[in-house]
Amino acid sequence: FDLYQTPTVLNVPQNDPRRGNAILTIPITIAGNPNLQPEESTTFSTGFVYTPEQLPATRLAVTYWNIEQEQRLQRFTQATLLANEAFFPERVVRGTPTPADIAAGFPGRLLSLDLSNVNAGNLETDGIDLELTASWQTGIGTFAPSIAATQVLGFDAADFPSTASVDRRGAANTQGAIPETRVTGSLAWNLKGFGLVPTVRYISSYDDVAQATNVRTGGSVESQTLIDLQATLDFETAFNAGVWTRGLNLRLGVLNLTDEDAPFALVSGPAGYDTSQGDLRRRFSYVMLQKTF
């Protein structure tokens, strides 16, 4: 798909930042690129897992990871491509400047944009993953708490050839935000086929950026703390095993139980929130009935 996606040409209104943001309707091509080279990555990780002899159901895992990537496969937005036209002049097609353009210091009129895939830039990132799980059986059921966290220590990326890397840790980006800290904690309970799992998801705040330039605005995207709840029923365990109860499971759940709004952000432009992290559905309920044979 990355190599051979059939070209799609869309005629869309596009502003030109080099010509006073004048808006013209131009063809924009979205396609694969058969000249792409493979991405190359070098990864390293090390860590440990500890289980106390006195608490065999308790497990602590800590992992340090490091990833270096070159020849990154990317597809730029129109705004990013126009803001970095000098790196990809063959993808921004312009007409010959008129005498009036030359007098005004403008380049030629924008004729078309090519947004097909490209190898560009590199990435180096590292961080620490932590996971702690346990399980206790009591007279009122089995309790299984767990917590998982990721701390990003570094995220240096260069999106364009022969450019210095930029620290993207703790910042939004049109290619996806990199919050420094993520934590997920849950407390599962199960008794005779009945189960309940409340989960808390936390994402730390991070700097906002302007969509057109990916430059930090001085504002921030607020941290998110979301609560999910899921209830399960295993009919075979809860009731007498039979033809209809064997392999029959019911699952009910609610995501974002407290109906939190996605934090405001400029990185995704008119959307008004970071589409890589936020969810406009807000509170979302689901039900699933499953029968296995």
Side-chain angles (χ1 to χ4, degrees):
F1 182 82
D2 294 325
L3 293 169
Y4 303 117
Q5 178 191 2
T6 302
T8 300
V9 179
L10 305 173
N11 291 299
V12 300
Q14 177 63 52
N15 68 300
D16 187 348
R18 296 186 62 193
R19 291 176 59 90
N21 281 317
I23 298 178
L24 291 175
T25 298
I26 61 170
I28 295 178
T29 301
I30 300 174
N33 181 357
N35 297 316
L36 290 175
Q37 299 299 311
E39 294 179 325
E40 299 179 359
S41 295
T42 302
T43 64
F44 167 79
S45 65
T46 183
F48 67 87
V49 177
Y50 173 64
T51 299
E53 185 176 354
Q54 300 82 358
L55 299 171
T58 300
R59 177 179 180 271
L60 172 65
V62 179
T63 303
Y64 168 80
W65 45 267
N66 180 284
I67 302 170
E68 296 183 14
Q69 187 179 39
E70 298 179 350
Q71 296 279 60
R72 295 175 63 210
L73 176 60
Q74 302 192 64
R75 174 175 289 173
F76 298 118
T77 65
Q78 300 100 291
T80 300
L81 185 60
L82 286 170
N84 298 275
E85 183 178 338
F87 295 110
F88 305 101
E90 73 284 358
R91 293 173 175 266
V92 181
V93 179
R94 294 184 177 276
T96 302
T98 66
D101 291 336
I102 295 174
F106 288 164
R109 184 171 66 91
L110 191 61
L111 299 179
S112 66
L113 293 177
D114 180 359
L115 300 184
S116 55
N117 300 327
V118 63
N119 291 110
N122 55 67
L123 167 68
E124 180 175 359
T125 179
D126 66 335
I128 296 175
D129 290 338
L130 180 147
E131 182 181 10
L132 178 62
T133 59
S135 179
W136 298 295
Q137 292 186 354
T138 72
I140 57 173
T142 301
F143 291 88
S146 68
I147 186 169
T150 294
Q151 180 69 36
V152 179
L153 302 178
F155 197 101
D156 297 324
D159 292 333
F160 309 104
S162 304
T163 59
S165 296
V166 176
D167 182 7
R168 282 183 48 196
R169 182 174 60 111
N173 192 278
T174 54
Q175 298 180 31
I178 309 296
E180 294 186 37
T181 306
R182 296 176 183 269
V183 182
T184 301
S186 65
L187 177 59
W189 168 80
N190 190 278
L191 176 65
K192 297 180 180 180
F194 294 88
L196 190 66
V197 185
T199 301
V200 178
R201 296 178 284 139
Y202 170 79
I203 300 176
S204 62
S205 64
Y206 50 92
D207 294 341
D208 199 5
V209 301
Q211 182 190 41
T213 61
N214 265 335
V215 174
R216 303 191 192 209
T217 63
S220 65
V221 182
E222 294 179 355
S223 62
Q224 299 181 57
T225 301
L226 303 178
I227 301 174
D228 305 328
L229 185 63
Q230 180 176 268
T232 58
L233 173 59
D234 181 344
F235 284 83
E236 184 176 0
T237 303
F239 307 103
N240 295 329
V243 175
W244 295 105
T245 59
R246 186 177 300 114
L248 184 63
N249 294 276
L250 176 66
R251 182 173 301 167
L252 307 172
V254 181
L255 303 178
N256 190 2
L257 181 65
T258 56
D259 202 24
E260 302 294 328
D261 284 320
F264 175 77
L266 296 173
V267 61
S268 299
Y273 74 105
D274 186 349
T275 55
S276 74
Q277 306 297 320
D279 189 344
L280 285 188
R281 294 180 302 177
R282 297 172 58 175
R283 184 188 293 123
F284 181 81
S285 304
Y286 60 91
V287 57
M288 184 175 71
L289 184 64
Q290 183 180 34
K291 171 72 174 176
T292 57
F293 301 89

